[in-house]
Amino acid sequence: MTACRCRRHIFLKMSNIQYLALGVLHRGKLYRNSIVSLVAGRVVIQPFDGEVAQTVFVSGLVAVCDSSRLTSGHRRALTLRVQDAPLLDRAVLRADRYLTSNSLYLGEASEASTPVLLLLPRK
């Protein structure tokens, strides 16, 4: 039996990963020091209050984006904005402006929208 390698199943397989980030940007809100994951296609954000097994630390931001709108050009532009910012607060401001102006945030409860977690580590 061969494992399915279509985009949907690869995405679901990767959704078990949790990320602890200094900031999570989701629908225009900032969640500081939070754990974010995708569970059955839904975004779950929890405040960090102790060590959690199998959690990947991101020294920077995680942005929750709509996968249908996010391009490789957007990924590069956001990465540069976050890495070039002198402070985390400035990185948050730059990333939020870019995400808002390019309509990259995940829409409100739309079945057509598929969330993707974009990791934006700082240097």
Side-chain angles (χ1 to χ4, degrees):
M1 188 164 145
T2 311
C4 178
R5 294 189 183 262
C6 72
R7 183 175 178 219
R8 179 176 175 265
H9 287 103
I10 290 172
F11 179 77
L12 289 174
K13 188 174 186 180
M14 291 173 49
S15 68
N16 296 332
I17 299 173
Q18 298 183 108
Y19 298 98
L20 167 60
L22 298 176
V24 176
L25 288 168
H26 181 44
R27 292 186 176 141
K29 290 186 179 180
L30 172 65
Y31 300 88
R32 290 192 178 271
N33 298 322
S34 296
I35 297 173
V36 62
S37 62
L38 296 175
V39 178
R42 294 186 58 220
V43 179
V44 177
I45 301 173
Q46 304 168 334
F48 175 71
D49 56 2
E51 294 294 323
V52 179
Q54 299 178 353
T55 301
V56 177
F57 177 68
V58 178
S59 179
L61 305 174
V62 174
V64 181
C65 301
D66 186 339
S67 64
S68 64
R69 296 185 206 138
L70 188 65
T71 65
S72 58
H74 290 311
R75 289 175 191 265
R76 283 191 300 274
L78 279 162
T79 299
L80 288 174
R81 279 170 174 73
V82 170
Q83 288 181 347
D84 290 347
L87 300 170
L88 182 65
D89 289 340
R90 179 68 70 168
V92 168
L93 184 63
R94 289 178 181 181
D96 180 58
R97 282 184 185 161
Y98 189 88
L99 290 163
T100 301
S101 66
N102 289 284
S103 301
L104 297 177
Y105 279 122
L106 188 66
E108 292 288 329
S110 172
E111 289 184 21
S113 298
T114 304
V116 63
L117 302 178
L118 178 59
L119 309 181
L120 300 167
R122 307 240 319 128
K123 282 187 178 182

